[in-house]
Amino acid sequence: MNDNGSDWGTFLRRWQDEWVPSEDEAVELAEGDTTLAGLAALGAPPASEADVADAERRLGTRLPPSYREFLLASNGWSLRDDSIHQLGAAQEIGWFGDPFGMTPMYRESLGERPAEQQVLLAGMWERALQLETDSDMSYALLDPGDTGEDGEWALYIHKGWSGEYPTRYPSFRAYMQRRYESFHAERAQLPEFVNDTTRARDADVTRAREEALSGRWEAARELLDVAKRYGRPGAWGMLGQLDVLAQGLGHGRTYFGGLVADPRCTDELVPVMALAHVRDSLPGRPERPFVLGVETDDRIRAAADAIHARVGDGSCRYAPDGDFGRAVAEARKIAGWGDTDGAWRMLRTALPSWSPPAPDVLAPLGLLADPVLGPVVTRERGRELLATPRAGRTGAVPEPVPDLDPPGLSWLAESGRWNAPYGSYRCVWVEGVEPEALPGLVGEDGGAGLTAAPVRPAGWFPHDVRWGQRDDSAPWEDRAVVAVGRTRSGWAFGFDPAARTSGPGTFFVSPAAAASSGGRAVVLWVRRGRDNTPAVFHLSAAERGEERYAYTLRGTDVERSGQVPTALDPDLVLRGVEDADRERRLLAAVQDEFGLSLPRHALAEGILPQLTTRSWNRAPREGEAFSYATITVGRPRP
């Protein structure tokens, strides 16, 4: 057996010796519904070889190894903690025979190309051996048609009242091991339930903590996964931390057990639970209660509610103490303008200096709930974090994961979800100014400047939650909502990843001139056509308040103004270029001429501050007309 030696005798004796009544059984004893002797008798005298041989002759088959060995150690077993109450003796077992007609139902549900396991399950009902003699409408079924290389038969537990598929175990041995673990989990909180097994599993939890802090998180996870099955305190909370970083937020339940009731853990763990709750809340639907999953005092509950509010409005900031806290603050500054790769390198370097606020906290999980730094910690980086020794431990340093942002602008030509749904994007770059200066250069008249990026529910994209056009805008106005940041070469930028308008038209006025009052500015506007080829490609460049040159390419027609440099001339750049590569070639020319770039990861994750610009269209002049249509969708009147 997994934890109690290789023979059934050792395993079953330990199980019997460790038995104490569960909380429910203690109630039965107190009410006089049963006796201690009746509850405590789990096993039975062993069957003889003759008993087992008689059963095999009666059944017409040799029993699988682990079940046969079990009968020779105990001819039956009581499983009061499960829906299976009693496993029968050798003389009591028999073929199930599918008395409820499950086979036709399962075979009808098979698709055209069913998996092997689905086919085995559909045929299991007619050929299975029934082991239980007392249960809660449940059945323990050994399937001779589902056999492993070791000769073991798979065991299925079917709970007839549940409407669920049967639970499969690879062997009778595996099933009994799981029941033994559940026996322990049922009693884990009882103060008198202390034995060699509980002490061994608690030692595993302690060892897992050291393994995790030393960067050996996979070894720690294996230890904790076993300890969790035994219900050992602390295992749930530590395992939850490893899983959130290794799998990413949103993959499975975010749960840290009783650790959230410890005030020392609040700032590391509760924000992550709050973020999962906020992201899973559907806009426009009633908000689900934010629950911690364990009992806490009023102080923890109040702190959790305050944290949830900050996570919900985007004002949550992770601020640990010490050297690591200072690195976090610096990393937030540079990630906040788009350099997420640089921010991660800063955090990675500082990780060894992180110290846990409580013994069972394994990593700086609070990073994940920070609206700027959370998106920096991708799943791959989460695993790199886990593999990095920290809190004073030593060990091998993992190979750094590759940076996320490609250089330059050519990546914009890739077809991808970031550019949906309008097939258009536009950007203004300004040289030699800080991003905070953009509101004064291109911001809407009387605007309030930069605002934080909105909090996005899970599955939403930056353009899904951006501001709409102001109610007081004139129909001809085109105010862009841009994400603001800084390129690595020092240009401030404002990028609109999903421009709603079709492209520069009759009333278009490039914002490059206004933006370039102190130096150079570049404006780019691309609208995709069929097959993701550029239907419109506009470039304009200005310096010290004056537009120097511009061109707008529509198909093969080019409108120009000023002297377009040879390196940017679309006729030369696109000579001999296939349609599918036109956008990439034009973007490459722009990036090479000015040294421009954009941070793909920060834009895709929507973590940059925002700015509503002045209109990119001018007002119609005297004698000019501007027409528009408004479409309202609603239910037809009866």
Side-chain angles (χ1 to χ4, degrees):
M1 304 304 294
N2 291 1
D3 293 286
N4 300 282
S6 59
D7 65 278
W8 280 102
T10 302
F11 174 68
L12 297 177
R13 279 193 301 274
R14 175 165 291 189
W15 192 340
Q16 180 68 75
D17 292 343
E18 291 173 346
W19 186 89
V20 297
S22 66
E23 291 183 358
D24 290 341
E25 289 168 335
V27 172
E28 292 181 33
L29 288 170
E31 294 176 350
D33 294 338
T34 187
T35 65
L36 183 61
L39 287 174
L42 304 182
S48 66
E49 281 284 358
D51 293 333
V52 175
D54 286 344
E56 290 175 333
R57 281 192 294 270
R58 174 170 55 85
L59 297 169
T61 187
R62 183 173 176 84
L63 296 173
S66 66
Y67 181 59
R68 195 176 198 281
E69 293 163 6
F70 162 76
L71 292 174
L72 293 172
S74 180
N75 198 16
W77 193 261
S78 177
L79 292 165
R80 294 183 56 87
D81 294 331
D82 191 28
S83 61
I84 302 295
H85 301 325
Q86 182 68 43
L87 295 173
Q91 63 271 21
E92 295 175 310
I93 61 175
W95 297 112
F96 184 56
D98 194 11
F100 308 112
M102 305 293 286
T103 302
M105 180 177 65
Y106 273 76
R107 283 180 174 165
E108 287 173 7
S109 67
L110 296 176
E112 292 184 3
R113 296 181 179 179
E116 180 183 2
Q117 196 56 54
Q118 292 175 309
V119 175
L120 288 172
L121 177 58
M124 180 269 298
W125 308 96
E126 292 180 338
R127 61 177 179 256
L129 183 64
Q130 184 176 356
L131 305 186
E132 89 293 336
T133 56
D134 184 21
S135 71
D136 178 16
M137 293 180 60
S138 299
Y139 308 92
L141 306 173
L142 273 174
D143 182 11
D146 188 352
T147 306
E149 294 181 358
D150 55 1
E152 295 287 359
W153 302 359
L155 184 141
Y156 290 85
I157 298 296
H158 175 56
K159 299 178 180 179
W161 42 266
S162 70
E164 300 173 351
Y165 280 93
T167 301
R168 180 185 182 274
Y169 300 87
S171 66
F172 179 77
R173 181 188 296 269
Y175 169 68
M176 289 293 280
Q177 175 64 31
R178 187 67 190 95
R179 293 272 52 82
Y180 175 69
E181 294 163 354
S182 297
F183 157 78
H184 266 263
E186 286 281 335
R187 294 156 176 79
Q189 301 302 321
L190 300 177
E192 69 273 18
F193 190 62
V194 178
N195 49 59
D196 288 346
T197 303
T198 62
R199 285 187 283 267
R201 297 291 78 77
D202 288 342
D204 284 347
V205 171
T206 300
R207 185 154 61 96
R209 180 188 302 113
E210 291 304 310
E211 292 285 332
L213 293 175
S214 299
R216 296 182 290 273
W217 68 273
E218 291 172 302
R221 197 192 184 288
E222 291 180 5
L223 292 167
L224 292 170
D225 189 52
V226 174
K228 180 196 76 172
R229 296 201 300 268
Y230 281 85
R232 300 319 301 158
W236 275 100
M238 287 195 279
L239 191 62
Q241 296 172 62
L242 299 182
D243 285 348
V244 164
L245 284 169
Q247 300 176 20
L249 194 67
H251 294 268
R253 184 184 179 195
T254 305
Y255 179 67
F256 305 117
L259 287 180
V260 295
D262 185 340
R264 298 173 297 175
C265 304
T266 302
D267 290 339
E268 287 285 7
L269 305 182
V270 173
V272 181
M273 300 179 70
L275 179 60
H277 181 266
V278 168
R279 292 188 61 187
D280 289 344
S281 299
L282 296 176
R285 300 283 183 89
E287 186 174 332
R288 297 177 296 106
F290 175 48
V291 297
L292 298 178
V294 295
E295 292 186 9
T296 63
D297 59 29
D298 292 342
R299 183 165 57 115
I300 296 294
R301 183 68 256 179
D305 290 340
I307 289 171
H308 184 268
R310 292 196 298 271
V311 170
D313 65 19
S315 63
C316 181
R317 296 293 182 271
Y318 181 53
D321 296 330
D323 291 342
F324 187 70
R326 287 184 282 275
V328 166
E330 288 300 313
R332 184 184 296 109
K333 289 179 183 178
I334 64 174
W337 297 126
D339 188 6
T340 56
D341 289 333
W344 174 247
R345 287 192 291 271
M346 188 172 292
L347 292 172
R348 182 176 61 204
T349 300
L351 264 177
S353 67
W354 173 80
S355 295
D360 288 350
V361 177
L362 302 179
L365 260 72
L367 282 169
L368 300 180
D370 189 295
V372 174
L373 294 177
V376 172
V377 187
T378 61
R379 190 173 87 163
E380 292 74 20
R381 286 172 171 170
R383 295 187 175 197
E384 183 182 356
L385 186 158
L386 289 174
T388 301
R390 50 202 179 275
R393 274 62 171 186
T394 58
V397 177
E399 188 74 20
V401 299
D403 285 350
L404 294 174
D405 284 336
L409 301 174
S410 297
W411 65 267
L412 289 165
E414 300 172 2
S415 59
R417 183 65 175 86
W418 71 270
N419 194 38
Y422 309 117
S424 181
Y425 60 88
R426 53 188 170 180
C427 187
V428 54
W429 290 269
V430 184
E431 187 179 31
V433 303
E434 292 300 312
E436 295 96 333
L438 285 186
L441 296 174
V442 299
E444 60 182 343
D445 297 332
L450 299 179
T451 61
V455 177
R456 290 190 290 152
W460 287 50
F461 292 83
H463 52 263
D464 293 326
V465 292
R466 296 190 318 157
W467 302 330
Q469 185 141 312
R470 296 188 331 180
D471 293 339
D472 60 348
S473 295
W476 51 266
E477 288 186 308
D478 175 22
R479 300 177 186 270
V481 179
V482 296
V484 174
R486 182 196 300 116
T487 71
R488 293 184 181 179
S489 57
W491 294 64
F493 67 82
F495 182 75
D496 180 2
R500 292 174 179 269
T501 49
S502 60
T506 304
F507 302 130
F508 167 67
V509 176
S510 170
S516 68
S517 58
R520 291 190 299 173
V522 177
V523 166
L524 184 70
W525 193 338
V526 177
R527 179 171 67 83
R528 295 266 177 83
R530 293 181 179 179
D531 302 322
N532 283 320
T533 57
V536 178
F537 190 100
H538 169 84
L539 173 70
S540 50
E543 187 171 357
R544 300 198 178 280
E546 293 186 12
E547 184 173 284
R548 299 301 185 186
Y549 56 85
Y551 73 80
T552 302
L553 177 66
R554 291 183 172 87
T556 57
D557 297 330
V558 184
E559 301 173 11
R560 305 169 184 260
S561 62
Q563 186 65 40
V564 179
T566 301
L568 297 174
D569 190 318
D571 289 339
L572 300 177
V573 171
L574 297 179
R575 184 174 295 169
V577 175
E578 299 289 336
D579 287 349
D581 205 34
R582 285 163 59 88
E583 182 180 354
R584 188 181 304 276
R585 287 294 185 91
L586 292 167
L587 289 169
V590 173
Q591 75 184 32
D592 293 345
E593 178 72 10
F594 298 102
L596 297 178
S597 62
L598 284 171
R600 181 174 65 182
H601 186 64
L603 291 169
E605 292 297 327
I607 65 175
L608 300 178
Q610 294 186 327
L611 167 67
T612 301
T613 71
R614 302 182 191 119
S615 174
W616 290 40
N617 283 339
R618 62 170 174 80
R621 295 170 181 151
E622 186 176 352
E624 294 179 331
F626 180 86
S627 62
Y628 68 97
T630 301
I631 300 175
T632 303
V633 179
R635 294 182 179 179
R637 294 182 178 180

